[in-house]
Amino acid sequence: MYQVRDLRLSFPDMTRKPLFGAAPRIEILRGLSFDVSKGAVLGIVGGSGSGKSTLGRTMLRLLEPTGGSITFNGRDITHLEEDALRPMRAQMQMIFQDPMSSLNPRRQVGGIIAGPLRVQGHDGIPAKVTEALDMVGLPRSFANRYPHELSGGQRQRVGIARAIALRPEFILADEIVSGLDVSSQAQVLNLLQELVRELGLTLAFISHDMSVIRRLCDQIIVLYQGEIVEQAQTADLFAAPQAEYTRTLLDAIPLPDPDQVWA
Amino acid sequence: MTLLRNILMRLLSTAITLFGVAVIIFVVIRVVPGNPIAMMLPPGATEADIARLQAQYGFDKSIFEQFMIWLRGVVQGDFGTSISLRQPVSSLVLNRLPATLELSIVALLIAVVIGGTMALTGTRWRNTRKEGAIDVSTGMALSIPDFLWGLVLILLFGVLWPVFHISGRISPALDIDFTTNFYLFEALLRLRFDVLGDLIGHMFMPALALAIPLSAIIAQLLKQSLKETMHLDYVTLSRTHGYGEHHVITRDALPNAILPTLTLVGVQFTFLIGGTVIIERLFSYEGLGNMAIDAVINRDLPLIQGIVILFALIFTLVNLAVDMLYVVLNPRLRHA
Amino acid sequence: MNAFLEIRNLCVTLKGGAPILRNVSLSVSAGQVHGLVGESGAGKSMIGKAVLGTLPRALAVTRGEIWLDGVDLQTLRPAERRRRIGASAALIPQDPLTALNPARRIGPQITRRLVDILGWSRADAEARALELLAEVQIPDPARVMRSYPHELSGGMRQRILIAAAFAAEPKLIIADEPTTALDVTVQKQILRLIADMQTRHGTALLFVTHDLGVVSKVCDTLSVLYAGKVVEEAQMRRFFMHPIHPYSAALLAATPSYKDPEGSLTPVPQSVIDQVEREVTDHDRRAGL
Amino acid sequence: MRDARGDVKRPIGLRLWLSGGWLILLVLAALLAPWIAPQDPLAQDLFTSRLPPFWEAGAEPGYWLGSDSLGRDVLSRIIHGARLALIVALVAGTLTCVIGTALGLIAGYYRGWPDRIISRFVDIWMAFPPVLFAILLIAVLGTGLTSIIIAIVVIDWTRFARVIRAEAMTQGAMDYVASAQVAGRKRMGTMLTEILPNVLPTIIALLTLEMGIAVIVEAILSFVNLSISTDSPTWGGMISEGRTSVHQAWWVLVFPLITLFLTVLSFSQLGEGLKDRFDPVLR
């Protein structure tokens, strides 16, 4: 579904711009290549500053790459104009990290979920909104609530409902459980897993938490400072991590187990 | 390197802004219907007289030519000659400038003292009725512009309880032989307390009228900034070290809370200086603004141009100074 | 064992009535690490804040005793109480980005309290600060003393905060989610540093966290909180092997572990939530709330 | 999980009632001026000059708040003056709001060259002393209602443009805007349906504030004799006359001043009150 080749992204560093001439560039993504096949659940893991969120936003073309190429369903979208991207957007959706920022505070939940449907010109919107609410396990009455009236886990479910309402082929989930307590985290992850199975979704799941990734994903990309240091099937990666950084990362995780060797 | 670059960029930007101001003012005042020259001449002056004067002031040329002539003069420090007062604009303006600057600076000082005190008091007693009272009074002070405060002050302290002068800059009877027009500062330096008292008696009311809205803004912004800073972990940490509320507010929170307030206060200070125009008129204070209104009424084109450009220059300099101060006070930028 | 910190029946309420902490009792002795665990809103941070006297203004201690080093803090006058806390307790805060004053150099931020509150000489305080910075493995301590916070990395700042917390040899340290803002790799270094320092100085440590994984690495004992009530108090090892309260067991089951991908991530069942809610309501009724 | 926030319902503030009440009173007075004003506001009568208000010795019935040096009734002039003040407030305020908000939204949301151009103009405008600029414009345009409205719009659009630009930039960085892009919404649509509603409370507060400012600007222009022709009563004109005779007849200054003070205060308090009311998010 996705083919990413030598993907590069850099920003000019205005704070170090010389008086004349171009500013030096900060490289965020330094030549990433990977594929996402249809039906895969891909985990993208890395520490802060690894470029994992930037990668996600570039895949959805919220950012334009400075080098390399992205192919989605056989079509090169690397430098596609927004007008040309618009019809394709129905196939690629995103769930954001912070629902307080990604859910418009002045809209009711029903309106938030209906937004993308309306933009993409769907009919029978109310029925589809209700269906989406049912699928994420929220009561239908929540359609008339504002985001600030919901709990963190409920808000994140609204974000999921908005993404699946269009029935996209691909969904990108960017750190969607990092702000949640363990109990809501478990609920949201189980929900996501169910939806992937039911709707036959392809999912890219960005996270810093190896334990969560292991539970959900079948392939993993490990990012470190804008480069892929390891790319493997989940079972293989945990059985025999190849990269030095992956090993450090795994060793550092404190498991809820007093007998874990952690030194 | 970055600092130097920033300064150069700022200076360039300032130059563009000033140029824009000059262009706009030039175009606007030349759309004036009515002939400023005709007003200068006694009734019965001939067409030839008018034409001769027009040529003298350059009004017979196109706007573009007039602008180029004016610009060439400005570069050499020549702002032209006032039509109504028949003196060089530069000397007229520079004579009045000290009065306006003194008024603005005194007003700023008053605003900082009142606003700062209210912000600190409000923070010390946050979430109590005292803070509520401060919020209500700053809210009111903020809603009413300086012009109305001036009128209220005239009524209260000029008429009902006449303790201050409500007109002029200095009592005409007073004997002063100062070398500069910065009367207030010179009186301070020469220790002429009689003059000083008289100046303050005249200046206090217009300065207070200008200061009230600004003090309310300072109080609100600084208090909000202080309250946000009080929630930061380093302040909590300082509390657990055993420091009391007073120390925590003034020593830990204040230095960092001032920074965001500073930039906004800079802009507001330029508004204050802009406000001197009408306040000087209201209190018959012989400053730049009062002269500017006369210049407009008399259609004195060269003088209007000169005054507006001077105001624009002062405003941009104030903003520049505030930015510099921001860098000096902020270690993050100082050591960048 | 005599406890450095002993909290008895502590109640904290929102001004206007809603309870935040419900009859919390716990004790921590020298050299012991006690964990406070719970989900957000359970009130775990409020216990530390109540001890240190830094509760938000909308909250107040309505009942209970807080014994610190043999003195009930609640009976002291504010100034005396502040001085006592300053001399015998310290805080390692959550966010290293906001926990250092951006306008001051590092050195004075460590030495200030030693000079101002404890009456040390400036030279002694500076020597002590250098010694501590070396102890928390900061390279070139003399240069760091002269730096501003923004010149240092997040992990470095957290080390400085740890050094500052131990500066006055406090008998109690409260660590409030000290590694939540850090990457896992840095978290590991910082947690081990805290544990090392605590053992070496024989300090009592109250460790607030939401992460059961972290608890299993640093704590000796722990209290699990729900809605401001302690639902279980346990030895660490016993807790992970045989949690007694169903809510504790459910929390453990919901915590992800890459070693056990199938067994983890079970959401807390509604029946458990109902049971623990019932216990809280019962408690409130008995307390006459 | 339990949540201590609960459902907080904020009462309609006292200030909303007081400020709204005063403004409604003013609107009624303006609408009904010819019927409720006790005297003809322009009628000069030297026999009734400088009559004190009703509670003082020497007052005449029918001249409740006294009369000025030309014998014109102060109360009637205030009531008729309300018409002009409110027209200026509504028309100038709304026009300024629409123009300034549009430019601010475009600059703050689209960024790039539209932002650079608009911001440059804002910078230039900020370098003018506003009162002097207004006086100058009136001198150029000639006195009259239209000129006043144009002058206010020209000098004050920057107030909206600056604030709304900053707000639009903050909102533009939120993920719900990225989310709209992911949904395929066009930029213009996102600006109008996602950003504008979030900026609306600020716009409302600024709008009513601007209405108060418009009234003041009119008063200032009247004060320097540059407002409407001298024979229609304006509050600023009355204040200007009152200022010169304040030692002989204080009431000529005091009553229009109180009216102006309350009006300006009400406009700004109404805005603040409405802003709070219309904000569904209690953060």
Side-chain angles (χ1 to χ4, degrees), chain D residues 93-116:
Chain D
T94 313
L95 280 177
T96 315
C97 172
V98 170
I99 294 172
T101 302
L103 292 173
L105 273 179
I106 291 170
Y109 178 61
Y110 280 83
R111 312 299 306 273
W113 62 263
D115 184 23
R116 249 171 276 150

PDB file of all heavy atoms in Angstrom, chain D residues 93-116:
ATOM      1  N   GLY D  93     -18.073  50.503  14.432  1.00  0.00           N
ATOM      2  CA  GLY D  93     -17.624  49.302  15.124  1.00  0.00           C
ATOM      3  C   GLY D  93     -17.722  48.076  14.236  1.00  0.00           C
ATOM      4  O   GLY D  93     -16.768  47.313  14.088  1.00  0.00           O
ATOM      5  N   THR D  94     -18.886  47.895  13.596  1.00  0.00           N
ATOM      6  CA  THR D  94     -19.084  46.710  12.770  1.00  0.00           C
ATOM      7  C   THR D  94     -18.138  46.697  11.571  1.00  0.00           C
ATOM      8  O   THR D  94     -17.517  45.672  11.269  1.00  0.00           O
ATOM      9  CB  THR D  94     -20.537  46.655  12.271  1.00  0.00           C
ATOM     10  OG1 THR D  94     -21.389  46.912  13.375  1.00  0.00           O
ATOM     11  CG2 THR D  94     -20.865  45.319  11.681  1.00  0.00           C
ATOM     12  N   LEU D  95     -18.029  47.842  10.896  1.00  0.00           N
ATOM     13  CA  LEU D  95     -17.156  47.891   9.720  1.00  0.00           C
ATOM     14  C   LEU D  95     -15.709  47.585  10.106  1.00  0.00           C
ATOM     15  O   LEU D  95     -15.035  46.786   9.448  1.00  0.00           O
ATOM     16  CB  LEU D  95     -17.227  49.276   9.067  1.00  0.00           C
ATOM     17  CG  LEU D  95     -18.427  49.534   8.164  1.00  0.00           C
ATOM     18  CD1 LEU D  95     -18.389  50.969   7.647  1.00  0.00           C
ATOM     19  CD2 LEU D  95     -18.396  48.554   7.005  1.00  0.00           C
ATOM     20  N   THR D  96     -15.255  48.216  11.165  1.00  0.00           N
ATOM     21  CA  THR D  96     -13.887  47.976  11.612  1.00  0.00           C
ATOM     22  C   THR D  96     -13.680  46.501  11.909  1.00  0.00           C
ATOM     23  O   THR D  96     -12.677  45.893  11.530  1.00  0.00           O
ATOM     24  CB  THR D  96     -13.600  48.771  12.901  1.00  0.00           C
ATOM     25  OG1 THR D  96     -14.107  50.079  12.740  1.00  0.00           O
ATOM     26  CG2 THR D  96     -12.125  48.851  13.183  1.00  0.00           C
ATOM     27  N   CYS D  97     -14.671  45.919  12.587  1.00  0.00           N
ATOM     28  CA  CYS D  97     -14.590  44.515  12.979  1.00  0.00           C
ATOM     29  C   CYS D  97     -14.492  43.619  11.753  1.00  0.00           C
ATOM     30  O   CYS D  97     -13.624  42.746  11.676  1.00  0.00           O
ATOM     31  CB  CYS D  97     -15.827  44.165  13.809  1.00  0.00           C
ATOM     32  SG  CYS D  97     -15.965  42.428  14.173  1.00  0.00           S
ATOM     33  N   VAL D  98     -15.355  43.843  10.776  1.00  0.00           N
ATOM     34  CA  VAL D  98     -15.378  42.962   9.609  1.00  0.00           C
ATOM     35  C   VAL D  98     -14.054  43.048   8.844  1.00  0.00           C
ATOM     36  O   VAL D  98     -13.424  42.032   8.544  1.00  0.00           O
ATOM     37  CB  VAL D  98     -16.567  43.333   8.683  1.00  0.00           C
ATOM     38  CG1 VAL D  98     -16.455  42.597   7.364  1.00  0.00           C
ATOM     39  CG2 VAL D  98     -17.871  42.998   9.387  1.00  0.00           C
ATOM     40  N   ILE D  99     -13.609  44.276   8.592  1.00  0.00           N
ATOM     41  CA  ILE D  99     -12.385  44.445   7.805  1.00  0.00           C
ATOM     42  C   ILE D  99     -11.173  43.913   8.574  1.00  0.00           C
ATOM     43  O   ILE D  99     -10.378  43.124   8.056  1.00  0.00           O
ATOM     44  CB  ILE D  99     -12.199  45.930   7.445  1.00  0.00           C
ATOM     45  CG1 ILE D  99     -13.324  46.352   6.501  1.00  0.00           C
ATOM     46  CG2 ILE D  99     -10.834  46.171   6.813  1.00  0.00           C
ATOM     47  CD1 ILE D  99     -13.370  47.828   6.227  1.00  0.00           C
ATOM     48  N   GLY D 100     -11.052  44.335   9.831  1.00  0.00           N
ATOM     49  CA  GLY D 100      -9.888  43.924  10.627  1.00  0.00           C
ATOM     50  C   GLY D 100      -9.841  42.422  10.837  1.00  0.00           C
ATOM     51  O   GLY D 100      -8.782  41.798  10.726  1.00  0.00           O
ATOM     52  N   THR D 101     -11.007  41.819  11.127  1.00  0.00           N
ATOM     53  CA  THR D 101     -11.042  40.378  11.370  1.00  0.00           C
ATOM     54  C   THR D 101     -10.656  39.601  10.114  1.00  0.00           C
ATOM     55  O   THR D 101      -9.863  38.659  10.172  1.00  0.00           O
ATOM     56  CB  THR D 101     -12.448  39.947  11.814  1.00  0.00           C
ATOM     57  OG1 THR D 101     -12.784  40.676  12.990  1.00  0.00           O
ATOM     58  CG2 THR D 101     -12.505  38.474  12.115  1.00  0.00           C
ATOM     59  N   ALA D 102     -11.198  40.031   8.972  1.00  0.00           N
ATOM     60  CA  ALA D 102     -10.884  39.332   7.726  1.00  0.00           C
ATOM     61  C   ALA D 102      -9.377  39.362   7.475  1.00  0.00           C
ATOM     62  O   ALA D 102      -8.759  38.325   7.208  1.00  0.00           O
ATOM     63  CB  ALA D 102     -11.641  39.974   6.564  1.00  0.00           C
ATOM     64  N   LEU D 103      -8.787  40.538   7.596  1.00  0.00           N
ATOM     65  CA  LEU D 103      -7.346  40.646   7.343  1.00  0.00           C
ATOM     66  C   LEU D 103      -6.547  39.842   8.368  1.00  0.00           C
ATOM     67  O   LEU D 103      -5.581  39.166   8.024  1.00  0.00           O
ATOM     68  CB  LEU D 103      -6.922  42.116   7.368  1.00  0.00           C
ATOM     69  CG  LEU D 103      -7.461  42.947   6.198  1.00  0.00           C
ATOM     70  CD1 LEU D 103      -7.147  44.427   6.385  1.00  0.00           C
ATOM     71  CD2 LEU D 103      -6.862  42.449   4.890  1.00  0.00           C
ATOM     72  N   GLY D 104      -6.984  39.897   9.633  1.00  0.00           N
ATOM     73  CA  GLY D 104      -6.273  39.165  10.688  1.00  0.00           C
ATOM     74  C   GLY D 104      -6.328  37.664  10.466  1.00  0.00           C
ATOM     75  O   GLY D 104      -5.333  36.959  10.621  1.00  0.00           O
ATOM     76  N   LEU D 105      -7.511  37.170  10.086  1.00  0.00           N
ATOM     77  CA  LEU D 105      -7.659  35.732   9.848  1.00  0.00           C
ATOM     78  C   LEU D 105      -6.761  35.284   8.691  1.00  0.00           C
ATOM     79  O   LEU D 105      -6.072  34.273   8.787  1.00  0.00           O
ATOM     80  CB  LEU D 105      -9.110  35.405   9.500  1.00  0.00           C
ATOM     81  CG  LEU D 105     -10.088  35.118  10.636  1.00  0.00           C
ATOM     82  CD1 LEU D 105     -11.462  34.842  10.078  1.00  0.00           C
ATOM     83  CD2 LEU D 105      -9.617  33.935  11.466  1.00  0.00           C
ATOM     84  N   ILE D 106      -6.796  36.064   7.621  1.00  0.00           N
ATOM     85  CA  ILE D 106      -6.001  35.682   6.444  1.00  0.00           C
ATOM     86  C   ILE D 106      -4.521  35.674   6.804  1.00  0.00           C
ATOM     87  O   ILE D 106      -3.800  34.714   6.518  1.00  0.00           O
ATOM     88  CB  ILE D 106      -6.289  36.645   5.271  1.00  0.00           C
ATOM     89  CG1 ILE D 106      -7.708  36.405   4.770  1.00  0.00           C
ATOM     90  CG2 ILE D 106      -5.279  36.463   4.157  1.00  0.00           C
ATOM     91  CD1 ILE D 106      -8.204  37.426   3.790  1.00  0.00           C
ATOM     92  N   ALA D 107      -4.075  36.742   7.486  1.00  0.00           N
ATOM     93  CA  ALA D 107      -2.651  36.824   7.827  1.00  0.00           C
ATOM     94  C   ALA D 107      -2.246  35.691   8.767  1.00  0.00           C
ATOM     95  O   ALA D 107      -1.210  35.062   8.590  1.00  0.00           O
ATOM     96  CB  ALA D 107      -2.348  38.173   8.473  1.00  0.00           C
ATOM     97  N   GLY D 108      -3.094  35.416   9.757  1.00  0.00           N
ATOM     98  CA  GLY D 108      -2.719  34.448  10.777  1.00  0.00           C
ATOM     99  C   GLY D 108      -2.849  33.010  10.317  1.00  0.00           C
ATOM    100  O   GLY D 108      -2.113  32.140  10.764  1.00  0.00           O
ATOM    101  N   TYR D 109      -3.789  32.738   9.413  1.00  0.00           N
ATOM    102  CA  TYR D 109      -4.003  31.355   9.010  1.00  0.00           C
ATOM    103  C   TYR D 109      -3.243  31.006   7.742  1.00  0.00           C
ATOM    104  O   TYR D 109      -2.620  29.959   7.654  1.00  0.00           O
ATOM    105  CB  TYR D 109      -5.500  31.071   8.837  1.00  0.00           C
ATOM    106  CG  TYR D 109      -5.778  29.671   8.384  1.00  0.00           C
ATOM    107  CD1 TYR D 109      -5.385  28.602   9.184  1.00  0.00           C
ATOM    108  CD2 TYR D 109      -6.389  29.403   7.177  1.00  0.00           C
ATOM    109  CE1 TYR D 109      -5.611  27.298   8.769  1.00  0.00           C
ATOM    110  CE2 TYR D 109      -6.619  28.107   6.766  1.00  0.00           C
ATOM    111  CZ  TYR D 109      -6.227  27.061   7.558  1.00  0.00           C
ATOM    112  OH  TYR D 109      -6.440  25.782   7.153  1.00  0.00           O
ATOM    113  N   TYR D 110      -3.262  31.910   6.736  1.00  0.00           N
ATOM    114  CA  TYR D 110      -2.574  31.600   5.492  1.00  0.00           C
ATOM    115  C   TYR D 110      -1.072  31.816   5.582  1.00  0.00           C
ATOM    116  O   TYR D 110      -0.316  31.177   4.860  1.00  0.00           O
ATOM    117  CB  TYR D 110      -3.146  32.422   4.334  1.00  0.00           C
ATOM    118  CG  TYR D 110      -4.428  31.861   3.793  1.00  0.00           C
ATOM    119  CD1 TYR D 110      -5.637  32.152   4.394  1.00  0.00           C
ATOM    120  CD2 TYR D 110      -4.427  31.026   2.695  1.00  0.00           C
ATOM    121  CE1 TYR D 110      -6.821  31.627   3.915  1.00  0.00           C
ATOM    122  CE2 TYR D 110      -5.606  30.498   2.199  1.00  0.00           C
ATOM    123  CZ  TYR D 110      -6.795  30.792   2.812  1.00  0.00           C
ATOM    124  OH  TYR D 110      -7.964  30.268   2.329  1.00  0.00           O
ATOM    125  N   ARG D 111      -0.647  32.735   6.512  1.00  0.00           N
ATOM    126  CA  ARG D 111       0.780  33.056   6.634  1.00  0.00           C
ATOM    127  C   ARG D 111       1.368  33.437   5.280  1.00  0.00           C
ATOM    128  O   ARG D 111       0.659  33.896   4.409  1.00  0.00           O
ATOM    129  CB  ARG D 111       1.566  31.882   7.241  1.00  0.00           C
ATOM    130  CG  ARG D 111       0.930  31.308   8.496  1.00  0.00           C
ATOM    131  CD  ARG D 111       0.818  32.318   9.613  1.00  0.00           C
ATOM    132  NE  ARG D 111       2.081  32.947   9.934  1.00  0.00           N
ATOM    133  CZ  ARG D 111       2.960  32.473  10.785  1.00  0.00           C
ATOM    134  NH1 ARG D 111       2.707  31.359  11.404  1.00  0.00           N
ATOM    135  NH2 ARG D 111       4.072  33.121  11.035  1.00  0.00           N
ATOM    136  N   GLY D 112       2.686  33.236   5.093  1.00  0.00           N
ATOM    137  CA  GLY D 112       3.296  33.514   3.793  1.00  0.00           C
ATOM    138  C   GLY D 112       3.190  34.976   3.396  1.00  0.00           C
ATOM    139  O   GLY D 112       3.174  35.856   4.249  1.00  0.00           O
ATOM    140  N   TRP D 113       3.085  35.222   2.097  1.00  0.00           N
ATOM    141  CA  TRP D 113       3.124  36.617   1.653  1.00  0.00           C
ATOM    142  C   TRP D 113       1.909  37.446   2.061  1.00  0.00           C
ATOM    143  O   TRP D 113       2.055  38.630   2.336  1.00  0.00           O
ATOM    144  CB  TRP D 113       3.421  36.724   0.145  1.00  0.00           C
ATOM    145  CG  TRP D 113       2.395  36.079  -0.741  1.00  0.00           C
ATOM    146  CD1 TRP D 113       2.454  34.837  -1.278  1.00  0.00           C
ATOM    147  CD2 TRP D 113       1.163  36.645  -1.174  1.00  0.00           C
ATOM    148  NE1 TRP D 113       1.332  34.586  -2.011  1.00  0.00           N
ATOM    149  CE2 TRP D 113       0.524  35.679  -1.972  1.00  0.00           C
ATOM    150  CE3 TRP D 113       0.530  37.872  -0.972  1.00  0.00           C
ATOM    151  CZ2 TRP D 113      -0.717  35.893  -2.552  1.00  0.00           C
ATOM    152  CZ3 TRP D 113      -0.705  38.087  -1.548  1.00  0.00           C
ATOM    153  CH2 TRP D 113      -1.323  37.102  -2.329  1.00  0.00           C
ATOM    154  N   PRO D 114       0.682  36.873   2.142  1.00  0.00           N
ATOM    155  CA  PRO D 114      -0.405  37.741   2.625  1.00  0.00           C
ATOM    156  C   PRO D 114      -0.097  38.263   4.034  1.00  0.00           C
ATOM    157  O   PRO D 114      -0.333  39.434   4.332  1.00  0.00           O
ATOM    158  CB  PRO D 114      -1.622  36.808   2.648  1.00  0.00           C
ATOM    159  CG  PRO D 114      -1.276  35.660   1.782  1.00  0.00           C
ATOM    160  CD  PRO D 114       0.201  35.512   1.837  1.00  0.00           C
ATOM    161  N   ASP D 115       0.456  37.376   4.856  1.00  0.00           N
ATOM    162  CA  ASP D 115       0.808  37.776   6.216  1.00  0.00           C
ATOM    163  C   ASP D 115       1.864  38.869   6.203  1.00  0.00           C
ATOM    164  O   ASP D 115       1.778  39.853   6.935  1.00  0.00           O
ATOM    165  CB  ASP D 115       1.318  36.546   6.983  1.00  0.00           C
ATOM    166  CG  ASP D 115       1.618  36.880   8.438  1.00  0.00           C
ATOM    167  OD1 ASP D 115       1.047  37.858   8.948  1.00  0.00           O
ATOM    168  OD2 ASP D 115       2.416  36.157   9.051  1.00  0.00           O
ATOM    169  N   ARG D 116       2.861  38.704   5.326  1.00  0.00           N
ATOM    170  CA  ARG D 116       3.937  39.693   5.301  1.00  0.00           C
ATOM    171  C   ARG D 116       3.405  41.073   4.916  1.00  0.00           C
ATOM    172  O   ARG D 116       3.759  42.077   5.520  1.00  0.00           O
ATOM    173  CB  ARG D 116       5.043  39.236   4.335  1.00  0.00           C
ATOM    174  CG  ARG D 116       6.319  38.856   5.090  1.00  0.00           C
ATOM    175  CD  ARG D 116       7.318  38.201   4.182  1.00  0.00           C
ATOM    176  NE  ARG D 116       7.033  36.776   4.044  1.00  0.00           N
ATOM    177  CZ  ARG D 116       7.303  36.056   2.974  1.00  0.00           C
ATOM    178  NH1 ARG D 116       7.873  36.625   1.925  1.00  0.00           N
ATOM    179  NH2 ARG D 116       7.030  34.775   2.951  1.00  0.00           N
TER     180      ARG D 116
END
